Amino acid sequence: MKGVIDMHVHTNPDLRLRAYDDFEMMEAGIRVGARAIVLKTHQGTTMDRAYLCNRHNEIVHGKTNNFTMFGSITLNKVVGGINPKAVDVVRDGKVVPELNDVFGLIRDHNAVLGTAHVSPEEAFIVVEAARNAGVKNIVVTHPEWWIVDMSVEDQVRIVKDYDVI
């Protein structure tokens, strides 16, 4: 696991019980030599939680590891979404106009776009629009999970055509 970066980890507290809380996850990451973990939640943001983990790491472990915890924001209703109906990402085969503003922020801050729980068809539309808007860092979020259910063929194609993770 040396050097691995996990881009999508849910920890406690969350909507349902998870295996670890933030500090336990940080310690587990350090133990296996991970480079970083990105905390996720559907209840808001995790930047503050990541800050506390990094500060704890600094206080407890000093400069003995190269681990960083990162926060994230899920653009759903809890944080205002990308619009009042955050689940409306694609309409009539195109991304909603509000998403272009989000792409601009992601591009300008060299952040990472995660596709969330969209269908494979919507993922291709979102990824193409993001690339056209100059977004460089895109993760297709858990493509094999039953809600997304992206075929292996589509996974290979989206990586090949759009250079996503």
Side-chain angles (χ1 to χ4, degrees), residues 8-27 37-58 67-74 76 78-79:
H8 190 116
V9 177
H10 288 271
T11 53
N12 292 317
D14 202 7
L15 294 173
R16 64 177 184 252
L17 184 63
R18 303 296 180 163
Y20 297 96
D21 67 23
D22 298 342
F23 293 115
E24 292 167 330
M25 182 56 66
M26 178 200 69
E27 292 293 342
I37 292 174
V38 179
L39 294 174
K40 298 285 291 183
T41 185
H42 295 287
Q43 298 170 297
T45 63
T46 59
M47 285 77 78
D48 52 348
R49 293 164 51 179
Y51 170 84
L52 292 173
C53 286
N54 292 328
R55 187 71 180 111
H56 178 83
N57 184 11
E58 182 181 333
F67 180 83
T68 304
M69 190 76 87
F70 289 97
S72 66
I73 183 170
T74 302
N76 59 18
V78 174
V79 297

Side-chain angles (χ1 to χ4, degrees), residues 79 91 144 161:
V79 297
R91 190 178 304 132
E144 295 175 354
D161 292 352

